[in-house]
Each structure stands twice: as C-alpha cells, then as structure tokens.
Amino acid sequence: MILFNNNTFHITNGKISYIFKILRNEQLGQLYFGKAVKQRDNFDHLLIEKATNLAPAVFQGDLDFSLEVLKQEYPSYGTGDFRDPAIQITQANGSSITDFVYKSHVIKKGKPSIKGLPSTYGDNIETLEITLYDALIDVEIILKYSIFETGLIRSAEINNFGENSIKIDRAMSASLDLYDDNFEMITLNGAWGRERHIQTRKIVKGVQSISSARGASSAMHNPFLALKREDTTEQTGEVYGFSLIYSGNFLAQVQVDVYDVSRVLIGINPFEFEWKLEKGESFHTPEAVLIYSDEGLNGMSQNFHNLFKNNLMRSSYREKARPILINNWEATYFDFNEDSILEIAKTAKKVGVELFVLDDGWFGNRNDDTTSLGDWSVNLSKLPNGIKGLAEKVNQLGLQFGLWFEPEMVNEISDLYKEHPDYVVSTPNRRKSYGRNQYVLDFSRNDVVNCIFEKMCEILDNASISYIKWDMNRNITEAYSYSLSNLQQKEFFHRYILGVYSLYEKLIDRFPNILFESCSAGGARFDPGLLYYAPQAWTSDDTDAVERLHIQYGTSMLYPIASMGSHVAAVPNHQVDRCTSLKMRADVAYFGTFGYELDLNNLSETEIEQVEKQIMFFKEYREVIQLGDFYRLQSGNFYSWMVVSKDKKVAILGYYKILASPNPSLKKIKLVGLDETLEYELTTPSGQSFSTTHFGDELMNCGLILETEFTGLIQAENFPGKYTPGTDKGDFTSQLYIFNAR
Ligand code: DGJ
C-alpha cells in the first residue's frame, strides 16, 4: 500500500513502514523506516529540525532548517549537507551544485522492469514514482519505490531535457538516513576459495564501506550489508538488510555523522564511474533491495530468499527442484576424452545422477589454461563426435547434458585474438595485464557480444544441451574501450556489465529451457544481478566440507539454498588437502543444488552404494530443502541449520562438528519454524529411527538433545582398550535429522 497525505508518503506492506515527506524547501526528507506503524494524518512530529552552530541554513532567519541536520531521501552535496551524497552531476559550467525539488508523483499498479538491467517483478505490486526537477539545468530524477511482501525496491532514473550535456558522477540506487548509530554492520567478505565469510563490526563515526572496482561484484565483498542491533540474534531482534541487484562495481557504505545519524548508501561504485547524458537521454540505476525485520537475521534472510525466489529469478527452474548433476572438473581437469567422460557418465547414471556437465577443456586446443578461450569450436581429437555426438550418447544413457563456457574471455593463443586483437579490453600504448593467462573481451561493444553469441549458438543449436555453466575467471585491468570517446571512458565498467546482461538476455531468449549456472573462479560473481538470469551459481571452487560450512552459512544471509551450487568432491580435498567423510561431504552439499564433482569410478563398491543412498535420500527430500524455508541456527566449531517445508510437515536439521573435544558437554539444540502442535517422528537418512516422538513446541522450546555428543560416549567405548573409529566420531562429523509430522 502506498499512501500520500499532507505531503507525506507512507509505503507499507503491513509489516514495514517507509515514511518520507516533501520538506519546506520542496526537497524530500526521510522520516522513518522500520516495523509497520498505522497511517495517520500527519507524521510531522518525526521530522527533526534543529539549529546547530556552523550548520548552513536554507532560509534566512530560520536557522533550524538545515540540510546538515535533516534526514534526506536522495541527498546531494554542496547546499548544506556535507555527508556523502546520493547524486552528483557536473554541469556545463563545471558546477556540481544541484537543487532537485518535488515536481509530481504517481502511484502505479505493477512493477515496471528496467531496460538492460535485471529487475524484480511481481503481481499485485504497487510502485511509487516521484519526479524531482532541477529547473536550472532542466534535468529530472524519478525516484522509484516498489513495495513487495518481503521488502522495498528502490531505483532512480535521471532524464536530461536540457540543451547542455551533463556528467553523472554518482547516482546511488538508494540512500537512507537512519535515526541512530546503535548498530553492528554485517558484510560478506572473502577471497577465492573462501567467499562470503560473515564479518560483523560495530559502526563508528565516519564512513565504513565495502566496494568493488574489479568489474565484477567479487569474491572479496558481496553487494550486501546489514545493520543489526547488538542483541539481535539469528532468531530475534531488529535488522536492516541492503542489497544491490547488480554484478559490476558497487559501493555499499554507512556513514555515521556527528549527530549519530547513520546514512546508508548503496549503488554503482562512483570510483571510476561517470556517465555522459546528452539532451533527451536517460540513465537508470540498478535496483536496491531494502529489508527490515524484527525477527533476527533469519527474518531478514527469509525475506531476501523469498524475494529472490519469487520476484527476481526468471527461470522456470526457480520453482523447481534442481537436477542432481555430476561435473567432471575435479575428476579430470583438462585431461579427458569421449571415452573417459562416458565412463564417468555411465556410473553417474547408475547411482541416480540426472545431469552430466562437461567443464573446461572441450574446445580449440585447450589442454591447459594457456590457450583457446574465444575459439568455441569442438576439440575433435578429444571428442571425435563433437559435442553433438557426446551429448547424444550422454542422453542415451538417460542423463541430460550440460556444457561449460567462459564467454567473456580470450587467450592470446587463439584464432579469435589473431583475428580481432582489438576486441580485448586494453588501454592504448599500455601493457595488458594477464589473469589466468587470459584477456577480457570488450563486452561494452555490441559487435563483440554478438560475435560470441553467434559462436555459442553454433554449439547450442546443434546439440541437445540442457544446462550451461557460465564461468568468468579474471577481473578487469587497463579498463578502456576503443569504441568509446575519451570523455566516456569512465562509462566502461557499467557498459561492460550491461554487455554481459545482454548476452544472457539473447541466450535465454533463444534457448529458454536451458538452466544457467553462473560461476566466476568459484563464487566471485555470486550476486542478485546474475540470479535474474541464472537461478543458481557455483558457490566456491572450494569443495572442502568444512570450508563449505563457513561459505554456505554466509551465503545464506541473502541467497536462497536452491541458488547455491554445492558438490561432493574427492578426498584429500583438492583445495585444502583435508579428508572428510563421504557422509559429511554429502551432508553439507545437500543444502544447495547438490551434485558430485569427482570420478565415481575411483570409489569403492561400498562408497558407490553410499552415493546411491545419498542420491535416493536427496531425491526424496529435495523439494523440502530447495523450496522450503531455511534457518541458520549456529556457527563456530559447531554449525547447524535447518529447512522446513512450507506446510511445516517436514523438517531437516543439519548438525556439523568441526573439531572434537574430549569429554564434550551435552548438546541440545532449539529448532525453529515448526508447527507447535504437530507431533514429529524423528529419523536419519541412514534409516535410524527413534522411539520418542517430539511435538513442535518441545523441539522449539526444550530443544533436541543430540545423542552423538553425549558426555563420555567415546571414553566409555574405548574402555578397556577397544577403540573403533567411526564416521560420526572425532573431527569433521555431521548428522542429519529428519522430522516428519505424524
Ligand atoms: C573455475 C570454476 O570455478 C571451476 O569450477 C572450473 O569450471 C574452472 N574454472 C575451469 O577452468
């Protein structure tokens, strides 16, 4: 519901309220964002006007009205507000002072999409569009707000009607001034192989930010931040979540001013960004997601999960359980041929896998990572029957076939580079940096995007391909495009990502049934922007079950379980050399898309039987896991999380221990999200059943006592000198518990 009364906008979905008003100077001022409040005639008492020494005033003799103190809705710099602005525009005379005042507004049914950018959609959505206008330069900004059941979506459109061109120096997707600074800030930080670890810090006066200037959202920081109260837990307390539906350079920051107001800004990174707007042209920012929950971090996460599942992912797979796949990368790396691939595929079919994915190395002369990117024609010495022939054989086995591409890249040793060295991102007369021996193609150019599209179509038109893994293994350096004028070079990064989106768009248009999985050297471009096109993403190249606990726990802050690519890989693990049991590897990988990434033919008969059972279990419960509600319960040396089916009749708890300790204390864990009145029977995937049933209210209040952690168990078994090691003992152990309502 979007209400307008007494110059005040009140956007509410019954759970949250977002209130701002047209101020006396006709600009917009922020009043409140948080738990829903009732509509009333007037919210002016929430407006704080206050004189302070040194604060510039807007009106003569009215020192209380200062932009330095007022909370702003879409602030600009230089007319009294000295904090970082949401908008900055350089004009013909070199000035960047603007004065955008309220002109009109419209409340629309529906949720408009944004041309060229990923955007949310939905039925029964209301959208508010407020036009702000600066008469001196004849430029308008349309601020857009759409209210979903889960949260608020904001963006801004800038239209230049003036005779002169303008230069946008920054245009944030959202700005929000919160009343106080009593918050801890959560961000997801990492690096290759350890993406999206949770970092929490108390916010302090000044700016605290995360960003990317790599041309991709990055493994280092995710376009997300949350502000929580100190006592907010996974299940209780207040939290604000912000995320950007974008895959390129971003900035997310909190600036605390001297009056303790916390200003949150999120949008395209203004560093190395400019956009020239001629008369008649417009620029649209990506969308920002604003979420408020008073039900703890899980409350926030579930809003993100449901928004992304229901209103962002476009693929028909968004509401379907995902196929169980096997990927050959860690099984073979570049060293494979048709026979070896079919050997893996045959065993995969036998154990119940549904999709075979052929990874890197099938094209050009690619036997290592030094050549052939850009040459998307089949290496016939490895695959004499081509992709078409291999896909047919895999299909005949009863498996779907999927294929790896890295569309945005080229190797120096390739036909594409020989023909078109100008396609590469590089700065005139400067050296070009390598990343994994490869260069980045200039996707800001339509001709480059079209060339790659044609090459991919040649493969996709001729073979039965159900899935594409779209990889991207380096970041952008020496950013520059030969197709842009000198004055437009700082548009490059944004134009690049628009090119990536346009290729996705073309492929989806032509091959609507293909399931896309995005990937970037693991999870270096795992962001909401790409979820719009690819409903799942390879979470990390790190397939170690222990590291995956940290990564998947952090990723679940905002990304749904069904979007996290997660595979069981071989041990010793290829990234950290750790050995964990086949059981634990599966117990972790179940909470994702689930698949395998190893040579099944290297497993013993007993292990193969175990894999068969794992797949049977997952097939039985994957709808619950991928389409149900996910809750994080605890992290640290012990991790646990759970899923509950939408009807609350089935729940699965995952419980993981990293390091064992002697004589451990009794472990009890309180479950959440169940139906208090239902009586649940408890089993494990291995078929163990327990005589006691549990009511939902007991599980949520008294908790479940975890027997494998029972004090003294291991010591008692050892006495008098008999020790039998087991997979549920010692370091790196896990247990799944299944709750079925009677
Ligand atoms: C990086 C990806 O994350 C891996 O899964 C694999 O596809 C390799 N690239 C292939 O080069």
Side-chain angles (χ1 to χ4, degrees):
M1 209 174 13
I2 298 176
L3 306 155
F4 181 64
N5 195 19
N6 268 326
N7 277 347
T8 303
F9 297 94
H10 182 182
I11 305 175
T12 181
N13 58 10
K15 289 186 271 180
I16 58 170
S17 283
Y18 188 95
I19 306 173
F20 59 103
K21 76 166 293 179
I22 305 166
L23 301 172
R24 287 194 278 136
N25 67 346
E26 302 291 306
Q27 292 182 356
L28 298 178
Q30 167 67 221
L31 299 184
Y32 173 72
F33 177 37
K35 196 175 170 84
V37 293
K38 280 192 293 298
Q39 170 69 347
R40 55 184 291 174
D41 272 359
N42 194 315
F43 283 107
D44 282 357
H45 52 288
L46 298 178
L47 182 72
I48 298 159
E49 293 184 11
K50 181 174 145 229
T52 63
N53 275 346
L54 278 179
V58 175
F59 305 110
Q60 192 178 15
D62 184 358
L63 298 184
D64 275 350
F65 193 87
S66 171
L67 299 177
E68 176 157 352
V69 182
L70 283 160
K71 294 197 280 148
Q72 315 280 319
E73 186 58 17
Y74 201 65
S76 56
Y77 172 81
T79 59
D81 185 346
F82 297 104
R83 294 163 289 186
D84 286 2
I87 182 80
Q88 208 170 1
I89 292 175
T90 303
Q91 300 137 51
N93 65 1
S95 157
S96 53
I97 301 301
T98 51
D99 183 18
F100 284 99
V101 296
Y102 171 84
K103 183 176 164 196
S104 61
H105 76 268
V106 53
I107 296 168
K108 295 178 169 173
K109 284 266 164 264
K111 166 68 185 57
S113 57
I114 307 175
K115 195 165 171 284
L117 279 170
S119 53
T120 47
Y121 60 87
D123 299 329
N124 303 322
I125 304 299
E126 270 191 327
T127 299
L128 165 66
E129 294 188 352
I130 305 178
T131 302
L132 307 176
Y133 183 61
D134 185 329
L136 189 66
I137 51 175
D138 203 3
V139 173
E140 70 175 23
I141 300 177
I142 307 177
L143 296 183
K144 303 184 179 180
Y145 304 80
S146 300
I147 182 78
F148 288 76
E149 212 185 310
T150 41
L152 182 67
I153 299 292
R154 284 187 61 179
S155 65
E157 178 186 331
I158 300 154
N159 296 311
N160 182 12
F161 301 114
E163 287 309 319
N164 296 314
S165 67
I166 56 170
K167 183 163 66 69
I168 304 171
D169 300 305
R170 71 156 63 199
M172 303 311 283
S173 299
S175 172
L176 178 72
D177 286 353
L178 290 165
Y179 188 85
D180 70 298
D181 66 346
N182 192 15
F183 291 112
E184 290 177 342
M185 170 170 153
I186 300 180
T187 53
L188 300 176
N189 306 328
W192 175 86
R194 51 180 170 85
E195 296 90 339
R196 290 173 300 287
H197 284 217
I198 297 170
Q199 175 178 282
T200 307
R201 54 179 145 158
K202 171 90 188 89
I203 59 168
V204 292
K205 300 251 175 332
V207 171
Q208 33 259 292
S209 69
I210 48 154
S211 63
S212 168
R214 297 170 174 266
S217 47
S218 91
M220 288 70 200
H221 302 290
N222 201 259
F224 156 81
L225 72 81
L227 290 179
K228 73 170 193 68
R229 300 298 179 186
E230 203 185 333
D231 58 359
T232 296
T233 67
E234 286 287 11
Q235 321 302 346
T236 59
E238 273 201 313
V239 56
Y240 294 88
F242 305 87
S243 137
L244 190 67
I245 303 180
Y246 191 58
S247 314
N249 292 348
F250 75 92
L251 171 71
Q253 77 170 41
V254 182
Q255 181 175 26
V256 181
D257 72 12
V258 290
Y259 304 109
D260 301 341
V261 170
S262 302
R263 168 168 296 174
V264 180
L265 288 173
I266 191 162
I268 294 176
N269 193 349
F271 174 72
E272 281 296 294
F273 169 82
E274 281 176 7
W275 199 271
K276 195 155 157 270
L277 220 52
E278 301 288 355
K279 181 184 169 87
E281 286 183 343
S282 52
F283 178 83
H284 212 300
T285 71
E287 292 187 338
V289 185
L290 280 71
I291 279 174
Y292 168 83
S293 169
D294 63 350
E295 292 176 357
L297 296 174
N298 275 308
M300 172 194 73
S301 299
Q302 285 180 2
N303 281 319
F304 274 121
H305 296 175
N306 289 329
L307 179 80
F308 292 166
K309 275 199 280 196
N310 303 332
N311 307 103
L312 181 64
M313 293 177 182
R314 280 186 312 172
S315 163
S316 58
Y317 282 92
R318 75 191 170 88
E319 54 202 4
K320 286 189 209 144
R322 307 296 161 78
I324 300 170
L325 67 79
I326 185 153
N327 177 304
N328 72 305
W329 179 242
E330 286 199 14
T332 65
Y333 295 101
F334 295 104
D335 186 15
F336 61 82
N337 57 32
E338 188 181 280
D339 290 343
S340 61
I341 289 297
L342 288 172
E343 282 312 305
I344 299 176
K346 273 182 209 153
T347 315
K349 174 63 193 168
K350 216 175 83 194
V351 294
V353 167
E354 296 158 324
L355 164 68
F356 182 90
V357 177
L358 182 63
D359 211 280
D360 195 355
W362 57 266
F363 50 91
N365 292 314
R366 189 139 166 112
N367 296 314
D368 56 33
D369 65 11
T370 60
T371 79
S372 305
L373 289 172
D375 295 346
W376 300 109
S377 52
V378 187
N379 180 336
L380 292 174
S381 54
K382 281 185 183 174
L383 304 174
N385 299 301
I387 289 294
K388 182 175 189 296
L390 176 63
E392 270 167 17
K393 291 186 184 181
V394 169
N395 288 165
Q396 277 157 15
L397 290 173
L399 293 170
Q400 295 178 305
F401 182 77
L403 194 59
W404 180 97
F405 283 96
E406 192 173 359
E408 299 153 72
M409 300 291 157
V410 64
N411 283 113
E412 205 161 2
I413 309 172
S414 69
D415 293 340
L416 181 67
Y417 186 75
K418 261 186 239 142
E419 281 161 39
H420 291 291
D422 59 305
Y423 276 14
V424 163
V425 176
S426 65
T427 303
N429 308 317
R430 300 274 176 204
R431 90 175 159 78
K432 299 191 275 292
S433 303
Y434 294 92
R436 205 197 191 197
N437 304 305
Q438 63 201 49
Y439 295 137
V440 182
L441 290 169
D442 183 354
F443 263 41
S444 73
R445 287 169 57 170
N446 285 337
D447 57 339
V448 177
V449 170
N450 287 338
C451 161
I452 299 300
F453 175 62
E454 295 304 328
K455 284 172 186 279
M456 290 177 78
C457 285
E458 269 172 46
I459 299 288
L460 300 172
D461 280 340
N462 292 312
S464 145
I465 293 175
S466 319
Y467 160 109
I468 289 179
K469 177 175 174 188
W470 176 323
D471 205 345
M472 195 279 247
N473 283 299
R474 66 159 290 180
N475 290 138
I476 298 176
T477 53
E478 293 84 33
Y480 187 93
S481 173
Y482 288 90
S483 68
L484 295 172
S485 73
N486 298 357
L487 292 177
Q488 287 181 292
Q489 287 303 329
K490 291 198 174 175
E491 297 178 14
F492 171 77
F493 277 115
H494 183 56
R495 288 189 184 274
Y496 177 88
I497 211 70
L498 293 179
V500 171
Y501 292 151
S502 78
L503 181 56
Y504 261 112
E505 207 61 74
K506 281 163 176 286
L507 289 167
I508 289 170
D509 210 36
R510 178 123 154 204
F511 308 101
N513 297 323
I514 289 185
L515 167 62
F516 283 85
E517 176 156 339
S518 75
C519 171
S520 176
R525 208 165 55 179
F526 197 135
D527 57 59
L530 284 186
L531 281 189
Y532 181 68
Y533 308 97
Q536 57 193 59
W538 183 223
T539 312
S540 175
D541 272 349
D542 201 322
T543 47
D544 168 53
V546 174
E547 176 54 35
R548 275 298 186 120
L549 287 173
H550 311 306
I551 296 174
Q552 291 175 207
Y553 200 87
T555 305
S556 78
M557 270 290 155
L558 69 162
Y559 300 103
I561 293 306
S563 68
M564 288 187 222
S566 52
H567 303 167
V568 173
V571 286
N573 172 265
H574 292 196
Q575 292 76 39
V576 295
D577 227 23
R578 189 172 2 243
C579 289
T580 53
S581 66
L582 186 51
K583 174 176 186 302
M584 182 181 190
R585 280 172 276 155
D587 284 351
V588 176
Y590 289 142
F591 292 86
T593 57
F594 193 59
Y596 290 80
E597 187 159 337
L598 44 73
D599 189 344
L600 291 170
N601 297 317
N602 292 339
L603 299 187
S604 68
E605 261 178 50
T606 331
E607 285 171 323
I608 283 289
E609 275 167 27
Q610 207 181 334
V611 168
E612 260 176 297
K613 286 190 184 137
Q614 291 175 343
I615 292 179
M616 269 159 53
F617 161 76
F618 191 70
K619 284 182 177 167
E620 190 175 346
Y621 287 103
R622 66 178 146 184
E623 263 89 13
V624 176
I625 294 178
Q626 296 182 343
L627 308 178
D629 290 325
F630 177 83
Y631 298 85
R632 288 176 306 276
L633 300 179
Q634 69 180 126
S635 60
N637 191 42
F638 292 90
Y639 270 83
S640 54
W641 52 44
M642 63 184 290
V643 287
V644 183
S645 63
K646 290 280 178 196
D647 64 6
K648 295 183 189 280
K649 290 195 172 144
V650 188
I652 300 168
L653 167 70
Y655 180 75
Y656 310 88
K657 178 176 64 186
I658 298 180
L659 294 182
S661 54
N663 191 11
S665 58
L666 195 67
K667 298 286 181 301
K668 194 170 82 161
I669 189 151
K670 283 189 185 179
L671 306 197
V672 293
L674 301 171
D675 183 326
E676 289 184 351
T677 60
L678 288 179
E679 186 179 1
Y680 294 91
E681 279 171 354
L682 180 55
T683 54
T684 65
S686 63
Q688 190 183 355
S689 56
F690 300 80
S691 51
T692 323
T693 59
H694 302 259
F695 281 95
D697 60 350
E698 288 169 51
L699 289 168
M700 294 192 289
N701 297 307
C702 316
L704 177 75
I705 293 168
L706 299 164
E707 294 182 28
T708 48
E709 283 300 315
F710 192 74
T711 311
L713 181 70
I714 292 179
Q715 288 89 331
E717 272 188 359
N718 288 346
F719 186 78
K722 268 201 305 178
Y723 174 64
T724 33
T727 52
D728 55 351
K729 294 185 207 156
D731 295 343
F732 319 135
T733 56
S734 61
Q735 186 57 59
L736 253 51
Y737 297 91
I738 308 163
F739 302 85
N740 274 295
R742 275 153 76 103

